[in-house]
Amino acid sequence: MKFIRYEGKRGTDLGVMTRDESGVVSLRDVLPNKAFADMTRMIEEIRGDELTLLQLVPDGYDKYPVEKLENVRVLAPIEKPVHDVICIGVNYRAHGEETGVIREAKFDQPDPIFFGKRAIRILGSGDEVDFRSDIDPELDYEAELAVIIGKRCKDVAKEDAESVIFGYSVFNDYSSRKLQRQHVQWMRGKSLDTYTAMGPCIVYKSDVAFPPALHICSRLNGEARQDSNTDLLINDIPTLISTISAGLTLEPGDIIATGTPAGVGMGMDPPTYMEHGDTIECEIEGIGTLTNHIK
Ligand code: MG
């Protein structure tokens, strides 16, 4: 079941995609007594029996009005996150090696590297990145699997990690490499306005075997850049959730970006960054493709 947020006939709406992904059914037609303000409220407020009803929609959509996907504008599933995005640094060995963080066998950082990424507004697929080359010309992409938290939780055991997840999305952790070096900590280098994108949908967790082992890749102007699998995470999703939630409350709609595989511009020889006019696509098997244009 793929949830999207979209601009359709009735304005901004939440919906479930049909199985062939040619159309969308509004949640208002399936759950007429519910009005969710946005995706985060939906994740927070929806009940198990309502989710069960929604799970019938992809194959049983003939009961409801369907808007063709080509007639709607797909928006970021979550535009304004409840908190800063929780990001993981160096969580694929090959990426650690290409950036020089992991130097041969001497990498000694068994615990996850967490950092916060501010996003006043998350871009959706099709949206434009406002590239501030005047502040930092070294703009890079990072395709990542995003985990969306489904319930308020704290001190989650590894074996309970899946139960606190709502679903998954494709994430692009745009990075200003010069700012990352300049300020030592990565927060500013990750957080310029429009430098966060997620979409096109959130896949409900039951559609993905746990832990996810999904092909992940990116293309810059159609040229293959990253090509990996989410089963290669150094710290897997149960480890990430149990570690970060120890003494720290996670809330519905919280986003955990699980790290990026090798193939970023910074890892090329010589480093090759994005330019005005570029198109970057990030794709994860079973979720979809997140496409942005660099203005
Ligand atoms: Mg990243």
Side-chain angles (χ1 to χ4, degrees):
M1 172 169 47
K2 292 183 171 178
F3 289 95
I4 62 168
R5 193 172 142 264
Y6 63 101
E7 195 76 35
K9 279 193 296 215
R10 294 183 288 191
T12 304
D13 217 342
L14 300 176
V16 172
M17 286 168 74
T18 60
R19 180 72 63 200
D20 65 3
E21 301 189 6
S22 68
V24 59
V25 172
S26 169
L27 262 55
R28 299 190 226 189
D29 291 319
V30 187
L31 306 170
N33 299 321
K34 281 285 175 84
F36 301 112
D38 57 30
M39 191 73 81
T40 302
R41 293 285 87 74
M42 189 276 283
I43 292 169
E44 192 174 355
E45 294 168 12
I46 198 157
R47 301 193 315 254
D49 59 325
E50 294 166 340
L51 274 168
T52 303
L53 197 59
L54 289 176
Q55 281 179 292
L56 301 173
V57 170
D59 297 311
Y61 54 86
D62 49 339
K63 293 193 203 112
Y64 307 105
V66 176
E67 272 191 84
K68 281 205 153 68
L69 216 61
E70 62 195 36
N71 295 335
V72 307
R73 179 170 166 243
V74 177
L75 307 169
I78 294 173
E79 187 175 72
K80 177 110 181 136
V82 279
H83 305 293
D84 287 359
V85 178
I86 298 166
C87 290
I88 318 300
V90 196
N91 206 21
Y92 289 80
R93 182 156 292 276
H95 173 62
E97 288 167 355
E98 73 174 347
T99 57
V101 176
I102 298 176
R103 293 173 208 282
E104 296 164 359
K106 294 199 315 199
F107 182 62
D108 183 24
Q109 176 53 48
D111 295 316
I113 301 168
F114 292 108
F115 63 95
K117 180 180 179 83
R118 175 69 51 93
I120 296 300
R121 179 177 75 93
I122 297 181
L123 301 186
S125 192
D127 288 341
E128 280 191 326
V129 174
D130 183 17
F131 178 21
R132 290 295 304 268
S133 52
D134 57 323
I135 297 173
D136 185 342
E138 299 181 7
L139 175 63
D140 214 344
Y141 49 82
E142 294 191 349
E144 309 198 9
L145 174 70
V147 173
I148 317 299
I149 295 297
K151 60 170 88 159
R152 191 178 168 89
C153 58
K154 188 176 177 180
D155 301 321
V156 180
K158 280 189 190 184
E159 55 269 29
D160 297 329
E162 191 184 10
S163 72
V164 305
I165 293 172
F166 180 79
Y168 306 95
S169 192
V170 184
F171 191 89
N172 194 336
D173 176 21
Y174 289 103
S175 303
S176 310
R177 299 304 190 195
K178 185 165 135 295
L179 294 182
Q180 279 186 255
R181 292 192 305 273
Q182 191 175 338
H183 297 279
V184 185
Q185 300 273 330
W186 299 346
M187 197 272 187
R188 184 175 178 228
K190 295 287 190 172
S191 301
L192 297 193
D193 289 352
T194 75
Y195 282 25
T196 302
M198 191 169 82
C201 64
I202 294 175
V203 176
Y204 187 59
K205 64 177 171 186
S206 64
D207 284 13
V208 178
F210 192 79
L214 305 171
H215 180 230
I216 178 169
C217 62
S218 66
R219 292 177 291 276
L220 183 62
N221 302 320
E223 180 188 296
R225 287 297 181 93
Q226 297 176 282
D227 186 359
S228 188
N229 194 290
T230 61
D231 66 356
L232 293 174
L233 296 181
I234 295 172
N235 286 290
D236 62 12
I237 291 169
T239 303
L240 297 177
I241 289 178
S242 70
T243 306
I244 193 69
S245 72
L248 186 160
T249 300
L250 299 174
E251 295 198 297
D254 256 329
I255 299 165
I256 301 176
T258 55
T260 202
V264 298
M266 152 190 212
M268 296 174 77
D269 186 17
T272 306
Y273 297 105
M274 290 194 288
E275 295 174 9
H276 296 282
D278 280 353
T279 297
I280 179 75
E281 297 166 274
C282 301
E283 183 175 359
I284 299 180
E285 175 189 1
I287 305 177
T289 303
L290 171 67
T291 304
N292 295 117
H293 310 288
I294 311 302
K295 195 162 111 189

